[in-house]
Amino acid sequence: MVLLSSTLAYRHVVGLVNVWVDAAQTDRSSAISPLGVLAEAHYFGLWELVDVLEPLALEEAVQLEADPPIRRAELARLLLSTSGRHGDLRCQGLNFTGSDLSRMDLSGINFRFARLDDCDLRQCQLQNCCFEGASLKGARLNQSNLMGCSFARANLESASMTDCNLHDPAQHLIANLEGANFRGADLEDCNLGGAVIRVACFKDASLRNCNLRSCNMAGADLSGCDLSGSILQGTNLRGTNTFRAKFHKISTAIHSSAFVDQGHVSFRR
């Protein structure tokens, strides 16, 4: 009898949850909470319903935030509402966490102190943008145009920036990465020529096959960083920490006296 009661209760909950799911999908303004229904579905092991409910619950969680992230459509409306150059648009301190902004023209926008963690900024036009003090942890900026950008004191830990261009051949737009945190970031194949990278942190980061010609990297933390195949002609490495750094296949002569810590540095032609 107990087993029968449990079975009936289970079937009742399945039917009830199905009703809730239909209501949640068709009437977003209803009092039904997808988060609550998701908890019930997890409890009773209704995994097919879990797959349906999870995106609804995530959307509800975002809406419940005190400062919900600005999404692509909303930013597009802001861009269209600005007359003239995008430089008129101030996004200082705003929240874009997890937003897909890929392939957008965001040049000249002020993102100072903004939250862009896990943001998709791939193949964007970002020249002359200000990211000073911004958080871009885990952000993806692959193949973006970053000429003249300022990342001073920004946090780009574990970010992906492969094949980005920060170098202006005319030398009118100088990228500034001073004091930025690139710990564990991937900057392979980046063109950083002439950039200011003083006292930045590249601990355990990848700078493979990068153009670092004429960069000022004085005082940077390169411990555990892989700079294999990079161009270091005219690069200022004075005072850098190169503990466990890799300089494989470097064609440019490097003066070891420029390094503050030469322990376990790996050089290989």
Side-chain angles (χ1 to χ4, degrees):
M1 186 66 183
V2 175
L3 179 61
L4 179 61
S5 298
S6 299
T7 304
L8 289 173
Y10 178 83
R11 289 177 179 173
H12 173 71
V13 170
V14 171
L16 185 59
V17 169
N18 276 305
V19 171
W20 284 346
V21 169
D22 290 338
Q25 288 180 318
T26 57
D27 183 12
R28 297 297 178 85
S29 63
S30 69
I32 297 172
S33 169
L35 283 169
V37 181
L38 179 62
E40 294 290 334
H42 271 292
Y43 181 80
F44 286 100
L46 307 177
W47 307 119
E48 292 183 2
L49 294 175
V50 167
D51 294 336
V52 176
L53 286 163
E54 280 185 337
L56 297 173
L58 179 60
E59 184 178 338
E60 182 187 28
V62 169
Q63 292 174 350
L64 290 174
E65 287 185 24
D67 181 19
I70 296 173
R71 298 307 186 195
R72 185 187 189 93
E74 187 175 353
L75 180 58
R77 285 194 294 270
L78 290 172
L79 291 172
L80 291 172
S81 66
T82 57
S83 58
R85 301 173 60 182
H86 292 168
D88 297 333
L89 184 60
R90 291 180 174 271
C91 294
Q92 180 169 327
L94 297 183
N95 182 13
F96 296 90
T97 302
S99 294
D100 179 5
L101 308 178
S102 58
R103 298 178 297 279
M104 295 185 73
D105 183 356
L106 306 173
S107 52
I109 293 179
N110 179 7
F111 288 106
R112 197 165 183 249
F113 301 122
R115 284 180 287 166
L116 295 140
D117 298 332
D118 300 312
C119 198
D120 189 349
L121 291 161
R122 291 174 295 178
Q123 299 179 4
C124 281
Q125 295 296 324
L126 297 168
Q127 58 268 32
N128 279 327
C129 281
C130 178
F131 293 98
E132 292 180 8
S135 180
L136 295 102
K137 293 184 292 184
R140 290 159 290 168
L141 297 94
N142 312 71
Q143 299 181 327
S144 288
N145 183 356
L146 303 173
M147 286 193 305
C149 280
S150 176
F151 290 97
R153 300 174 301 282
N155 187 356
L156 292 103
E157 185 173 346
S158 301
S160 180
M161 297 176 62
T162 59
D163 200 20
C164 285
N165 180 41
L166 292 86
H167 174 63
D168 177 17
Q171 298 185 347
H172 296 311
L173 305 175
I174 307 298
N176 182 11
L177 286 69
E178 185 169 358
N181 177 21
F182 290 92
R183 181 167 184 161
D186 186 1
L187 291 88
E188 187 169 350
D189 295 318
C190 272
N191 187 352
L192 293 150
V196 178
I197 317 179
R198 291 180 65 255
V199 297
C201 175
F202 290 93
K203 185 178 178 65
D204 299 321
S206 174
L207 286 167
R208 292 173 59 88
N209 305 316
C210 287
N211 176 19
L212 296 166
R213 183 184 282 112
S214 301
C215 286
N216 183 359
M217 301 184 73
D221 183 359
L222 301 176
S223 56
C225 183
D226 189 352
L227 295 97
S228 300
S230 291
I231 301 172
L232 295 168
Q233 183 179 359
T235 305
N236 181 4
L237 294 168
R238 187 165 300 279
T240 55
N241 179 1
T242 57
F243 180 74
R244 295 190 301 105
K246 296 179 182 178
F247 291 88
H248 300 171
K249 300 180 181 178
I250 299 291
S251 58
T252 310
I254 301 175
H255 298 286
S256 60
S257 60
F259 303 136
V260 69
D261 188 337
Q262 303 171 48
H264 302 286
V265 178
S266 180
F267 294 93
R268 188 184 303 164
R269 292 284 181 179

